[in-house]
Amino acid sequence: MARKQGSHSDITGPRVQDTALRLIARHGFAAVSMRQIASEVGVQAGALYNYTPDKQSLLFDLMQGHMVDLLDALRTEELHGDALTRLKGFTQFHIRFHLPRSDQVFVSYMELRNLAPKNFAIVERMRRNYEDALEDILRAGEAEGVFSVSDTRVATMAIIAMLTGLSHWYRGDGRLGMDAIESIYWDMVRKSVAA
Amino acid sequence: MARKQGSHSDITGPRVQDTALRLIARHGFAAVSMRQIASEVGVQAGALYNYTPDKQSLLFDLMQGHMVDLLDALRTEELHGDALTRLKGFTQFHIRFHLPRSDQVFVSYMELRNLAPKNFAIVERMRRNYEDALEDILRAGEAEGVFSVSDTRVATMAIIAMLTGLSHWYRGDGRLGMDAIESIYWDMVRKSVAA
DNA sequence: GTCTATAGCGGGATAGAC
DNA sequence: GTCTATCCCGCTATAGAC
């Protein structure tokens, strides 16, 4: 089956996405050229345009795809019960979803500036939905009297920043496994909003 | 005194730095051209090279300058007393220093990838020094028995991420003033490491 | 679907006049 | 110290052969 050239749409397509994600995470969107992506994929630059209309769409697809995956996974999680249980579920979900996706997290945080305005608005709306899921939990906890935060919005942003920051420094080959990390972060999150 | 052309080294120099910082914060280092910076400063592109040997040095000077300012200010703060008092001082210091410098914070977090390896090492060492100042406080609190974190390094990273995240969304014209923000964050930081 | 070739543009940096 | 002019390079995107 191996051909030196010809049709490879089934394998080249995913490879373009994967390669672009890795290179953009490492060097930044503006610093990565289509030639560079093509070279790592193993095709010529022109061939990339069979898979994306332009460079901007490539970035948008990566970021939108990540957010869609995130919101889908969160919905599947279906966090039930009292606020404390839901907060624990959210914390664990966030860590387990994001830790194995450090490149996506990096790109989604760093490259917002490079999205065209219309694309930015779409991604930003999805990010806001995710934040709102956490804020709902904090509000419920306030109502139950188990949480005490003077501002649920600020607390939401603080917790998400704390959790997401993890993806910026954690390396799976370090001294701490994902379970240990989860336990440490859950302890801090829980206490930070405790009544 | 106004001249259409001639010597302006005393005013052009700072303007180059300020303009570069603002443009890089908004668009990213790789996306900003020397021509664009020169245009906003009001000179031709070639004139920039009287103030910086190249584009890379311009970025490095911005980032190094920010870190030097940060570490100098922290030393001036001289946090004394018990661990809880020191932690409160660190939290307030961090917020008060970073909130009015959102462009510097943005650039310092986003553009590490664009530093040449040698420059990266220098900036990274200074960042590590800053983190260590917080970890010292957490260790002291553990020894005093007033803090309970299972891992001081992870707790350090979590707290700094939480505090720095503030700079990414806070806008001074919002509903919350700096004092209110400080109070909310201190409440969360304090509780997150409480014994 | 991929290739080669190229159009058209803008980038960083330098040279030399003033 | 700034200007104008320019070198040389790499970029995105497209055209047309296979």
Side-chain angles (χ1 to χ4, degrees), chain B:
Chain B
M1 292 298 281
R3 287 172 295 177
K4 286 287 168 58
Q5 80 179 53
S7 292
H8 295 279
S9 72
D10 50 343
I11 53 176
T12 304
R15 273 180 57 76
V16 169
Q17 298 268 332
D18 293 349
T19 303
L21 175 65
R22 185 166 38 81
L23 287 176
I24 292 171
R26 174 140 16 218
H27 305 292
F29 176 72
V32 172
S33 70
M34 295 297 271
R35 284 175 171 82
Q36 203 176 340
I37 296 169
S39 166
E40 293 233 357
V41 170
V43 297
Q44 293 298 315
L48 294 181
Y49 291 86
N50 290 313
Y51 302 95
T52 181
D54 49 36
K55 198 187 176 193
Q56 167 69 210
S57 302
L58 188 52
L59 176 63
F60 174 59
D61 289 346
L62 290 174
M63 295 180 70
Q64 188 189 35
H66 174 65
M67 289 310 295
V68 167
D69 290 349
L70 174 64
L71 292 175
D72 283 354
L74 180 63
R75 269 189 289 271
T76 305
E77 200 74 2
E78 291 189 17
L79 301 169
H80 296 309
D82 57 67
L84 192 64
T85 303
R86 289 169 67 200
L87 183 61
K88 182 172 186 178
F90 183 92
T91 301
Q92 291 186 336
F93 166 77
H94 185 102
I95 293 175
R96 288 185 197 184
F97 184 89
H98 286 91
L99 267 201
R101 292 175 173 82
S102 61
D103 281 351
Q104 284 95 331
V105 174
F106 221 76
V107 169
S108 290
Y109 267 73
M110 300 295 203
E111 306 299 348
L112 283 169
R113 293 175 298 186
N114 290 306
L115 286 176
K118 183 180 276 185
N119 293 338
F120 176 83
I122 295 170
V123 171
E124 200 58 19
R125 198 177 312 124
M126 290 191 285
R127 178 195 300 278
R128 177 70 191 217
N129 284 345
Y130 185 69
E131 293 165 1
D132 286 348
L134 174 56
E135 190 171 0
D136 279 350
I137 297 173
L138 296 183
R139 284 214 193 86
E142 283 280 335
E144 294 176 19
V146 295
F147 297 161
S148 171
V149 293
S150 52
D151 188 296
T152 55
R153 187 70 203 156
V154 174
T156 297
M157 299 307 280
I159 290 173
I160 286 188
M162 186 170 86
L163 294 176
T164 303
L166 179 47
S167 296
H168 297 331
W169 63 265
Y170 180 77
R171 293 295 161 259
D173 54 0
R175 62 192 166 83
L176 292 164
M178 196 160 75
D179 288 349
I181 290 286
E182 242 181 67
S183 157
I184 296 170
Y185 272 80
W186 166 235
D187 188 54
M188 292 184 72
V189 168
R190 177 181 56 78
K191 288 194 292 185
S192 72
V193 298

Side-chain angles (χ1 to χ4, degrees), chain A residues 91 95 162 169 175-191, chain B residues 149-155 158 192:
Chain A
T91 301
I95 293 175
M162 185 170 88
W169 63 266
R175 62 191 166 84
L176 293 164
M178 197 160 75
D179 288 350
I181 289 286
E182 241 182 67
S183 156
I184 296 170
Y185 271 80
W186 165 235
D187 188 54
M188 293 185 72
V189 168
R190 177 181 57 77
K191 288 194 289 184
Chain B
V149 293
S150 52
D151 188 296
T152 55
R153 187 70 203 156
V154 174
S192 72

Side-chain angles (χ1 to χ4, degrees), chain A residues 24 27-31 55-57 59-60 63 107-117 119-120, chain B residues 24-32 106 110-111 113-114:
Chain A
I24 293 172
H27 304 292
F29 176 71
K55 198 187 175 191
Q56 168 68 212
S57 301
L59 176 63
F60 175 60
M63 296 180 69
V107 169
S108 290
Y109 266 73
M110 300 296 204
E111 306 299 349
L112 282 169
R113 295 175 296 187
N114 290 305
L115 285 176
N119 292 339
F120 176 83
Chain B
I24 292 171
R26 174 140 16 218
H27 305 292
F29 176 72
V32 172
F106 221 76
M110 300 295 203
E111 306 299 348
R113 293 175 298 186
N114 290 306

